[in-house]
Amino acid sequence: MRIVIFGAPGVGKGTQAHILSEKLDIPHISTGDILRNAIKNETALGLEAKKLVESGNLVPDDIMAGIVKDVLSDKSCEKGFILDGYPRTLEQARLLDEILKSLPVDSQYFLAIDVDDEVIVQRLTNRLTCKICGNIFNISDLRDLKICPKCNGIDSFFKRKDDEESVIRNRLKVFHSTTKPVLEYYTSQGRLKYVDGTMPVDKVAEELLQEIKA
Ligand code: AMP
């Protein structure tokens, strides 16, 4: 089963992809995570992508093409995958179509999570990530800002550089100008299903699973 999950930054794509990955036992491929790891490890890709990612701009399509071709053709994706963060441009959507056509036949789902921009800004400016377990939290849901409730890590929270308000607003601008046409591309083919991302996390997951079963 192959799932492509869409939505503006902060709609909860990563959280939902993580839940679906556990429930369906297929890997979660996040192009944002791949880039952030490359930046952390200071690889050639990381050095090239750092400024763009941290300012909320897109990494060029040709660089993303190499990453996506490699990862989706990897053995770990044989049983399927949940792709989060790709495609973000029409060029990327066309390449993904080609890649999917080249893979053995399997069911495919294109799902979008929908949330208003102002709700997203609120969510992202209050978002913290645990550097040990990778879980994401809202500041208001944390009883203690020093201890991670999932892994008990101490002083492990950090705020992503691209979660500063000015960067979030730029990421939303990029989403509306460049990625919205990708959603229209899939909608015009009758392939995209929308789910309301303002519901509680488990309800959103339930609706996404229902779309897959439908
Ligand atoms: P995300 O975690 O998906 O919000 O991605 C974080 C950042 O990584 C984005 O703001 C972009 O700078 C970069 N990025 C991730 N996926 C892509 C992509 N498909 N095309 C271009 N840039 C990307």
Side-chain angles (χ1 to χ4, degrees):
M1 176 185 294
R2 299 181 191 126
I3 300 172
V4 184
I5 195 155
F6 294 94
V11 296
K13 290 187 304 284
T15 304
Q16 294 299 332
H18 183 75
I19 296 173
L20 295 184
S21 159
E22 288 198 334
K23 285 207 192 287
L24 303 169
D25 195 24
I26 46 178
H28 168 199
I29 310 295
S30 154
T31 48
D33 283 350
I34 293 173
L35 292 168
R36 278 185 289 278
N37 275 332
I39 292 169
K40 195 169 91 192
N41 297 324
E42 297 182 343
T43 64
L45 167 66
L47 295 174
E48 206 164 350
K50 187 172 163 60
K51 274 216 179 98
L52 293 166
V53 172
E54 290 181 353
S55 58
N57 291 306
L58 295 185
V59 173
D61 287 342
D62 55 337
I63 297 181
M64 294 311 299
I67 298 175
V68 162
K69 277 185 199 157
D70 278 358
V71 71
L72 298 187
S73 59
D74 191 80
K75 215 173 159 15
S76 59
C77 286
E78 239 172 39
K79 267 174 50 189
F81 51 79
I82 300 164
L83 186 56
D84 148 23
Y86 192 98
R88 270 172 145 104
T89 66
L90 281 171
E91 171 84 24
Q92 293 183 8
R94 289 190 196 106
L95 175 68
L96 181 63
D97 276 349
E98 268 176 40
I99 297 175
L100 292 175
K101 269 191 215 140
S102 74
L103 296 173
V105 176
D106 197 353
S107 46
Q108 288 171 14
Y109 302 91
F110 296 81
L111 305 170
I113 305 176
D114 201 24
V115 176
D116 266 4
D117 282 7
E118 285 312 309
V119 177
I120 289 175
V121 173
Q122 274 302 316
R123 275 190 190 174
L124 291 189
T125 46
N126 285 305
R127 177 161 96 164
L128 289 178
T129 306
C130 172
K131 66 178 172 230
I132 300 172
C133 65
N135 278 292
I136 296 166
F137 303 92
N138 191 292
I139 292 177
S140 57
D141 295 335
L142 289 170
R143 263 196 252 143
D144 187 331
L145 288 178
K146 283 199 165 297
I147 301 172
C148 172
K150 287 273 184 205
C151 72
N152 291 323
I154 296 172
D155 277 334
S156 61
F157 293 123
F158 72 97
K159 188 170 181 153
R160 272 170 48 176
K161 283 225 172 86
D162 57 352
D163 280 348
E164 297 300 334
E165 183 164 346
S166 59
V167 180
I168 293 166
R169 295 214 179 261
N170 187 41
R171 290 165 70 198
L172 286 169
K173 203 172 104 206
V174 170
F175 173 77
H176 287 291
S177 62
T178 315
T179 308
K180 264 286 171 70
V182 177
L183 301 193
E184 282 150 20
Y185 170 80
Y186 289 105
T187 304
S188 70
Q189 298 171 3
R191 291 154 93 186
L192 190 65
K193 301 272 186 280
Y194 276 89
V195 166
D196 173 8
T198 58
M199 298 182 295
V201 169
D202 50 349
K203 187 80 183 109
V204 177
E206 210 177 282
E207 297 241 332
L208 290 170
L209 285 165
Q210 258 167 24
E211 290 296 348
I212 292 165
K213 283 185 204 138

